[in-house]
Amino acid sequence: MAKVLSGAGLRGQVAGKTALSTVGKSGSGLTYRGYDVKDLAENCQFEEVAYLILKGNLPTQAELDAYKAKLKNLRGLPQALKDVLERIPADAHPMDVLRTGCSMLGNLEGELNFDMQQDVTDRMLACFPSIICYWYRFSHDGVRVDVETDDDSIGAHFLHLLHGEKPSELFEQVMHVSLILYAEHEFNASTFTARVCASTLSDMHSCITGAIGSLRGPLHGGANEAAMEMIEGFTSAEHAEQEMMGKLARKEKIMGFGHAIYSESDPRNAIIKGWSEKLAAAVGDTVLYPVSVRCEEVMWREKKLFCNADFFHASAYHFMGIPTKLFTPIFVMSRLTGWAAHVMEQRADNRIIRPSAEYTGEELRKVPAIADR
Ligand SMILES: CC(=O)SCCNC(=O)CCNC(=O)[C@H](O)C(C)(C)COP(=O)(O)OP(=O)(O)OC[C@H]1O[C@@H](n2cnc3c(N)ncnc32)[C@H](O)[C@@H]1OP(=O)(O)O
Ligand SMILES: O=C([O-])CC(=O)C(=O)O
C-alpha cells in the first residue's frame, strides 16, 4: 500500500523536476538515471555510478580509467586547509569538520564561474576522504597522514587513511556498495537544501556546505550513528527485544527505521543487510548482527516500521573498524554526487525557489513606547 503523502513538511508536494532518480515509484524502489540501484550495486564500482550521476551516462572502460586517474590526482590538500583542520579539536563532530573543510576549500579553490562546476565537484569527491581522515588522524593519533595514496577507489583511499593500511578486497567492495546506495535520493532534505541554495545562483561550495548541515541531523543522515549507539548497548537478541519493547512503550523514536516516502521497505536495506551479514561472518561477530536482525523483526511486528538505508549500515561500518562518528561523513562522501548533480540540474533551468508561508501571527499593531512595554 502506498504511503499517504500529504500534510506538514511539504509532503507530497512537487517542488521541481528531476531526471536524476526516482524514489518509491512502483516497479522499482530506487533508480539513478533509469538504472535500478540493485543492478548498480551488483555490477558497478562507486566511481562508475558517480560518473553516471554527474555526467549523465555510464562510462566506458577508457572513460572510467581516465576518471579514476583524475580523481586519484586530486586527493592532496592545500597547506592552508591542513592548518585549519589541525586547529579543530578532537571532540568536534566530524560532520562539522567536513562542513568547515568544504567551506575552506571554497575559499582557496572557489568556483569562479559555472563552467567549473564539474571540476570543483570532482575535486571535492577526491578530497573529502582526505579532509576527514587528515583531521581524524591528527586530532586523535597526533599523526599528519600523507593523503596522496595510490588506492584504486575512493572507498579504499578512505579506509587506507583511516587505518594506515590498504583494506581487504571485501572491505573495499563493501565501500563501493555503500557509496552507491547513498549516492542519490531525489528531493530529500539535504538535496533540497542544496537546490534552494543553487537557485540563488550561489557557488557549488556554498550549496554543498549547506547540504552537509542538513544531512547531519539524526532524522536524516545522522541516523546511522544514532542506530549504532543504540545497538551497541544490546548484549543479545533477547536483550534487544526487551529494550526495543520498552522504547516503543515509551513512544521513543527509533533511529534507522521509517521513511518519508517508502511505505513498506527501503530497497537499499536488503542490499546493505546482506553485506552486513557477510561482514559479520568474516569478522566472527555473533552479537551485533543478530541484535540488528531482532530489532528489525520487533519494529515490523509491533509497528510495521521497516529499516531504512541507515540501519544495517551501522553494523556494516562497525565490522569494518570505522569509528561511529565517521559514519555520516561517509554518507557525505557519496551523496556529494547527488547534491552536485542536482545543483547542476537546478542551474540549467533555474527560477529562485521561494515558497509562500501561511501567516499565523499577531494582527497588525502599533509599537508601544519602550516605557509602556
Ligand atoms: C537516509 C535517510 O535519511 S533515511 C531516514 C533516516 N532517519 C531516521 O532513521 C530517523 C527515524 N525515522 C523518522 O524519524 C521518520 O520515520 C522519518 C523522519 C524518516 C520520516 O518521517 P515522517 O515521514 O514524518 O514519518 P511518518 O509520517 O511515516 O510517521 C508516521 C508515524 O510513525 C512514527 N514513526 C515514524 N518513524 C518512526 C521511528 N523510526 N520510530 C518510531 N516511530 C516512528 C511517527 O512518529 C508517526 O507517528 P504519529 O503519527 O503518532 O506521529
Ligand atoms: O529521501 C529521504 O527523505 C531520505 C533518504 O532516504 C535519503 O536521502 O537517502
Side-chain angles (χ1 to χ4, degrees):
M1 202 178 61
K3 196 168 166 174
V4 179
L5 295 178
S6 63
L10 297 178
R11 201 69 83 256
Q13 298 188 36
V14 174
K17 294 180 180 175
T18 186
L20 292 166
S21 62
T22 59
V23 173
K25 215 170 137 193
S26 63
S28 176
L30 174 60
T31 63
Y32 302 164
R33 294 199 186 271
Y35 298 102
D36 193 311
V37 74
K38 188 166 182 280
D39 198 4
L40 294 168
E42 274 169 12
N43 295 299
C44 294
Q45 299 185 344
F46 171 60
E47 287 74 6
E48 287 173 84
V49 174
Y51 189 102
L52 168 72
I53 292 172
L54 289 167
K55 300 172 201 300
N57 55 284
L58 281 169
T60 62
Q61 188 64 55
E63 285 167 338
L64 178 63
D65 293 346
Y67 191 49
K68 283 165 73 170
K70 178 183 182 190
L71 294 176
K72 226 186 244 194
N73 275 324
L74 294 171
R75 287 177 179 163
L77 299 178
Q79 189 56 46
L81 177 47
K82 288 186 191 168
D83 292 344
V84 167
L85 295 173
E86 289 186 15
R87 297 175 78 111
I88 303 178
D91 62 358
H93 193 285
M95 285 294 278
D96 298 344
V97 177
L98 205 41
R99 192 191 60 215
T100 298
C102 176
S103 186
M104 183 65 185
L105 192 71
N107 285 298
L108 300 171
E109 303 174 10
E111 186 191 28
L112 305 178
N113 58 64
F114 293 170
D115 292 344
M116 294 171 69
Q117 60 185 9
Q118 289 283 357
D119 285 339
V120 294
T121 302
D122 289 345
R123 172 71 167 133
M124 284 191 261
L125 200 51
C127 82
F128 274 12
S130 307
I131 291 177
I132 205 64
C133 291
Y134 186 86
W135 166 79
Y136 186 83
R137 296 296 310 280
F138 182 80
S139 60
H140 288 67
D141 306 331
V143 178
R144 288 188 171 91
V145 282
D146 177 2
V147 294
E148 298 193 57
T149 73
D150 67 347
D151 297 292
D152 185 62
S153 65
I154 290 169
H157 175 228
F158 169 76
L159 289 178
H160 188 172
L161 293 183
L162 182 64
H163 294 138
E165 59 184 18
K166 283 185 178 289
S168 66
E169 252 180 61
L170 172 64
F171 285 12
E172 183 171 9
Q173 196 176 356
V174 177
M175 285 304 292
H176 276 301
V177 172
S178 167
L179 295 173
I180 289 170
L181 296 182
Y182 271 146
E184 161 54 14
H185 219 244
E186 200 223 41
F187 276 25
N188 60 84
S190 56
T191 301
F192 196 58
T193 303
R195 283 192 84 126
V196 170
C197 189
S199 80
T200 71
L201 301 183
S202 189
D203 66 294
M204 185 65 86
H205 297 87
S206 296
C207 298
I208 303 302
T209 303
I212 293 172
S214 287
L215 189 71
R216 184 193 196 295
L219 294 190
H220 194 6
N224 55 17
E225 294 179 22
M228 185 66 219
E229 278 152 19
M230 181 181 79
I231 57 177
E232 71 189 350
F234 303 154
T235 51
S236 65
E238 293 65 37
H239 183 215
E241 166 119 18
Q242 254 175 27
E243 292 292 319
M244 294 291 282
M245 292 300 285
K247 283 177 187 297
L248 291 177
R250 293 189 296 275
K251 300 207 175 316
E252 285 178 29
K253 191 154 259 192
I254 318 277
M255 300 307 167
F257 287 87
H259 199 273
I261 306 294
Y262 298 124
S263 53
E264 283 176 354
S265 66
D266 179 332
R268 300 165 295 184
N269 177 53
I271 304 170
I272 195 62
K273 181 181 174 187
W275 285 101
S276 175
E277 186 177 14
K278 284 194 187 91
L279 287 166
V283 303
D285 166 79
T286 54
V287 177
L288 206 57
Y289 184 75
V291 156
S292 304
V293 171
R294 184 65 71 90
C295 292
E296 184 180 35
E297 287 166 2
V298 172
M299 287 297 278
W300 185 253
R301 187 187 72 214
E302 299 295 323
K303 289 276 169 197
K304 292 287 170 279
L305 281 167
F306 53 87
C307 296
N308 57 48
D310 281 331
F311 190 70
F312 276 93
H313 261 106
S315 51
Y317 287 165
H318 184 81
F319 295 145
M320 292 195 287
I322 300 171
T324 304
K325 63 183 179 179
L326 297 188
F327 289 5
T328 318
I330 304 176
F331 196 154
V332 174
M333 286 158 39
S334 157
R335 182 59 58 88
L336 169 62
T337 54
W339 291 335
H342 276 276
V343 168
M344 296 175 201
E345 193 176 53
Q346 180 69 35
R347 287 173 173 178
D349 185 16
N350 188 56
R351 188 175 191 196
I352 191 166
I353 297 173
R354 201 304 186 189
S356 302
E358 183 187 337
Y359 182 65
T360 58
E362 301 285 349
E363 290 300 320
L364 186 64
R365 48 190 175 156
K366 281 274 180 214
V367 177
I370 198 161
D372 300 336
R373 289 176 205 162

